[in-house]
Amino acid sequence: GWMYCEGVGTAVDVAAGLRCFQAAANAGDVKGNFYCGRMAFKQGDYKQGLHEFRRAADVAGYPPALLWLGLAHVRGYGVAVDIPTGVTYLERAASNGYFPAQRELALLKLRGHLGANYIFSGLLEFVVALSRAAILIIRRKHGEVFFW
């Protein structure tokens, strides 16, 4: 699906990409739900996007879906801003070693959103998260979710 969406090896065909993601989601693949959610968010349909992310998060604790649920609550995408709920989702994703969630938690701390006491630890956690990401890239142990 993402190859259609990005035009990798084919012409860009977002509708075909969405059909692929929906078929995967209907077959029980949480990545299909995740990508349906990402496409919905890109189109501004936050309600549908959140629904798809919740399905991927609730069924399998899929870290990218947990990340986007966290971001939605922290940034107010389709829901009222709710930092504690967003942090809970981000922590669940980060506990699985998911770099983007670790980065977002560190940035929340660094920017003082979790209180002044966490700013310094946020800086340290941000450096650690970036270091882990660099190692993953060097080892090439990343998936398409890392970038898309």
Side-chain angles (χ1 to χ4, degrees):
W2 68 267
M3 294 176 82
Y4 281 117
C5 291
E6 299 295 323
V8 177
T10 184
V12 172
D13 187 343
V14 175
L18 181 57
R19 284 192 301 275
C20 290
F21 297 143
Q22 288 171 333
N26 291 339
D29 184 345
V30 294
K31 288 183 182 180
N33 292 111
F34 170 74
Y35 283 116
C36 285
R38 287 289 291 131
M39 290 189 70
F41 262 43
K42 283 185 177 187
Q43 296 169 353
D45 187 353
Y46 297 121
K47 181 179 178 182
Q48 182 62 32
L50 289 167
H51 170 74
E52 296 292 346
F53 292 150
R54 284 188 187 104
R55 286 181 63 190
D58 291 344
V59 170
Y62 190 55
L66 291 166
L67 167 74
W68 278 93
L69 286 168
L71 292 175
H73 285 86
V74 167
R75 297 178 184 169
Y77 297 149
V79 294
V81 171
D82 182 350
I83 301 287
T85 298
V87 167
T88 299
Y89 282 119
L90 292 171
E91 287 174 340
R92 284 180 58 198
S95 71
N96 289 307
Y98 192 55
F99 156 72
Q102 294 169 342
R103 177 197 62 217
E104 290 301 322
L105 281 170
L107 287 173
L108 283 171
K109 291 176 183 179
L110 185 58
R111 293 176 179 150
H113 293 291
L114 303 183
N117 293 340
Y118 292 98
I119 292 173
F120 184 71
S121 67
L123 176 62
L124 294 176
E125 290 173 25
F126 185 71
V127 171
V128 169
L130 287 179
S131 300
R132 288 181 181 156
I135 291 167
L136 288 174
I137 291 169
I138 291 167
R139 291 182 180 169
R140 297 179 186 258
K141 290 188 177 188
H142 53 76
E144 72 276 2
V145 174
F146 188 76
F147 294 100
W148 195 69

